[in-house]
Amino acid sequence: MRILVVEDDPILMDGLSVGLNIAGFTVDAVASCEDAYSAIASQNYDALVLDLMLPDGSGLDILAHLRRNKNDLPVLLLTARDQIADRIAGLDAGADDYVGKPFDLDELAARIRAIARRSNGRSSGKIEWQDVVLDPAQMTVHRGDALLKFTRREFAVLRALMERPNATLSKTVLEEALYGWQEEVESNAVEVHIHHLRAKLGSKFIKTVRGLGYRLAEQEQ
């Protein structure tokens, strides 16, 4: 899951980037409205973590811009605990949730997962396909009673495919799920991760759609 963090406090921005990355997210971070607009225009995100007080405007302006342009990107606001009016204004403007500063990083990660899950029309926190169950919160994958071991990037590729099981995902889309702005994309990384996933899940679990990308094999009847 790739998310954008908009936060002008450099210490908090770095803490969010590191902590959310450890929690399994691919994180891009910017510190201004202008950079946020550019990022949103150039990249598809699964969720937006948005501070309200920014040096060149308000996070509410970014939120209003998104909703005015029919962009349903899930948005979680970062607010001061005593600013109830800001929370109400943000929720009424189309925000999906908020957390008050200071906040617990595990709770923030859980709330991001929840708003992204609701955006995808899922009620369960776990994702299932055939006999494989992926738990984004625990970063685990089970097949039946067996716990399968994956690297962080293998898990990210599998999660992207399982979240959109009926879609064919291009190599570029999978790379975007794996790498943030500051990370160098290895030319054959996706192919290597797909190879490892097939070795662990079976060669037929992931299909190659020639010229288009990869998708999960159809559910067994």
Side-chain angles (χ1 to χ4, degrees):
M1 182 185 295
R2 188 165 185 166
I3 64 174
L4 177 65
V5 172
V6 185
E7 169 59 61
D8 67 322
D9 183 322
I11 295 176
L12 182 54
M13 178 197 285
D14 287 345
L16 285 168
S17 298
V18 172
L20 291 174
N21 189 267
I22 292 172
F25 300 97
T26 299
V27 182
D28 294 333
V30 298
S32 67
C33 293
E34 180 180 0
D35 288 343
Y37 290 133
S38 297
I40 292 167
S42 62
Q43 178 67 54
N44 292 320
Y45 291 101
D46 297 292
L48 171 64
V49 178
L50 181 60
D51 189 23
L52 292 182
M53 301 298 293
L54 298 168
D56 57 346
S58 169
L60 292 178
D61 296 332
I62 298 174
L63 178 59
H65 171 81
L66 288 172
R67 301 306 185 238
R68 188 167 56 248
N69 288 281
K70 310 300 182 184
N71 188 326
D72 294 328
L73 175 66
V75 176
L76 185 145
L77 300 178
L78 301 178
T79 71
R81 286 198 180 275
D82 59 348
Q83 296 299 316
I84 296 176
D86 285 344
R87 299 179 194 174
I88 294 172
L91 292 171
D92 284 343
D96 298 273
D97 200 357
Y98 68 86
V99 293
K101 299 177 184 178
F103 49 80
D104 180 84
L105 193 58
D106 289 336
E107 179 185 2
L108 176 64
R111 289 181 178 274
I112 295 170
R113 288 191 295 268
I115 62 174
R117 182 172 68 243
R118 292 195 297 269
S119 175
N120 289 328
R122 292 188 292 109
S123 57
S124 172
K126 297 179 180 180
I127 309 171
E128 300 183 28
W129 188 255
Q130 297 185 12
D131 58 346
V132 175
V133 180
L134 182 147
D135 187 337
Q138 300 299 320
M139 297 182 67
T140 58
V141 180
H142 283 83
R143 170 169 265 171
D145 295 327
L147 176 64
L148 305 180
K149 299 292 186 180
F150 296 97
T151 67
R152 176 179 170 274
R153 296 204 190 278
E154 290 167 3
F155 183 89
V157 171
L158 180 60
R159 176 177 180 172
L161 290 167
M162 290 184 66
E163 285 181 333
R164 299 173 61 187
N166 297 310
T168 298
L169 303 188
S170 68
K171 179 180 177 179
T172 299
V173 168
L174 292 174
E175 286 175 342
E176 289 173 351
L178 288 172
Y179 297 100
W181 290 336
Q182 306 303 318
E183 299 176 290
E184 183 177 352
V185 179
E186 300 175 29
S187 60
N188 65 337
V190 169
E191 290 86 349
V192 170
H193 296 317
I194 292 291
H195 173 77
H196 290 163
L197 288 171
R198 284 172 171 158
K200 297 174 183 180
L201 293 166
S203 60
K204 296 182 179 180
F205 190 82
I206 299 172
K207 295 175 58 178
T208 298
V209 182
R210 190 171 300 278
L212 296 176
Y214 303 93
R215 62 177 296 147
L216 298 185
E218 289 78 8
Q219 289 271 28
E220 296 178 356
Q221 300 300 319

